[in-house]
Amino acid sequence: MRKKSRFITLEGIDGAGKSTHIKEISQWITNQGIEVVCTREPGGTPFGEKLREMVLHEKMDIMSETLLMFAARNEHIKTVIEPALNQGKWVLSDRFTDASFAYQGGGRGVARETLRTLAAWVEVRSPDLTLLFDIDPALAQQRVAQSTPQPDRFEQEQRLFFDRVRDAYLERAQQNPDRIVIIDSAANLSDLKSTVINILNERLV
Ligand code: TYD
């Protein structure tokens, strides 16, 4: 029998290492005989990638930043995520709405109520599973400094900003315990990889 479509998202502060796991997760899905679409936010569509360029590099008001994140998300949902899920494919997205609650909500101080309204406006379906790569912001900042020669607007933020972003992610996890799984991203890479695969086997098979 064909498995029902699933929507999986990866989250975490900059430097948490979430992107490292995309390949093995998509390989795991393919091994189940299922077609997977790997995508990211902000971006995921030609229009969204243009907005990404702008929102990551140009100075702007916080609400403009928030609206652009949701404009890119709307396009992404309507033209990539929903069509793929409707065709029975699985979708793996590097970030989604939780990132807006964490960065714009926690980091920048946009009211949660505003974000809930925008999310309700664009979201057709919540993720089935979200892996939250959690790490001490001090360690994450060291990783970003070593690996990113030209940091974007978010990566240039100070430690306190990332403390707030992390707290907001953890708050989301507390509010959505059935959907969001917290992964200790300070563990060594091979342990982390097996943790991720174990979660997929437990939650999705
Ligand atoms: P990121 O996945 O970190 O890209 P890269 O690995 O190429 O640096 O995403 C880019 C940034 O966008 C990241 O700092 C978080 C930010 N962001 C928001 O502030 N709000 C959002 O809703 C999303 C999706 C991302």
Side-chain angles (χ1 to χ4, degrees):
M1 204 184 69
R2 193 165 170 180
K3 284 207 170 76
K4 78 172 196 319
S5 63
R6 307 273 196 162
F7 179 24
I8 304 160
T9 59
L10 308 182
E11 298 284 358
I13 62 172
D14 291 271
K18 65 185 163 46
S19 309
T20 316
H21 300 278
I22 292 173
K23 242 202 209 140
E24 91 231 13
I25 297 174
S26 81
Q27 188 60 54
W28 181 92
I29 299 170
T30 308
N31 291 346
Q32 314 292 308
I34 297 162
E35 218 178 308
V36 57
V37 172
C38 292
T39 185
R40 70 168 180 181
E41 286 202 356
T45 65
F47 172 75
E49 291 293 329
K50 283 188 198 156
L51 294 185
R52 177 188 175 97
E53 224 2 73
M54 225 190 293
V55 85
L56 293 192
H57 300 289
E58 281 180 34
K59 202 164 174 288
M60 64 184 72
D61 178 75
I62 296 167
M63 269 316 288
S64 307
E65 176 184 298
T66 305
L67 290 167
L68 288 180
M69 293 293 182
F70 277 95
R73 179 162 303 127
N74 182 54
E75 201 65 18
H76 192 207
I77 292 171
K78 305 288 154 53
T79 66
V80 175
I81 299 176
E82 268 295 301
L85 293 173
N86 287 340
Q87 288 165 18
K89 294 175 188 166
W90 288 23
V91 175
L92 175 60
S93 185
D94 189 347
R95 298 194 189 281
F96 192 60
T97 304
D98 294 312
S100 297
F101 279 88
Y103 281 80
Q104 282 65 53
R108 305 265 198 241
V110 173
R112 303 293 197 274
E113 197 43 45
T114 306
L115 296 169
R116 272 194 288 273
T117 304
L118 290 170
W121 206 26
V122 305
E123 260 191 36
V124 181
R125 172 173 165 179
S126 303
D128 299 294
L129 175 67
T130 297
L131 303 180
L132 171 55
F133 292 88
D134 180 55
I135 193 166
D136 179 349
L139 190 53
Q141 266 188 322
Q142 274 175 25
R143 287 184 181 178
V144 171
Q146 282 162 9
S147 65
T148 317
Q150 287 179 316
D152 63 39
R153 244 166 30 86
F154 293 98
E155 290 161 339
Q156 286 169 25
E157 286 289 347
Q158 302 301 309
R159 170 70 195 281
L160 280 177
F161 175 86
F162 288 106
D163 286 343
R164 295 195 299 273
V165 174
R166 182 197 199 186
D167 287 347
Y169 266 133
L170 294 173
E171 179 188 302
R172 289 287 283 172
Q174 219 171 31
Q175 291 163 348
N176 300 275
D178 295 338
R179 172 173 67 85
I180 303 180
V181 181
I182 301 171
I183 295 173
D184 175 9
S185 212
N188 76 56
L189 192 57
S190 73
D191 287 350
L192 260 174
K193 284 186 175 177
S194 30
T195 302
V196 168
I197 297 302
N198 287 340
I199 293 168
L200 299 177
N201 280 317
E202 278 165 25
R203 297 280 190 132
L204 301 175
V205 173

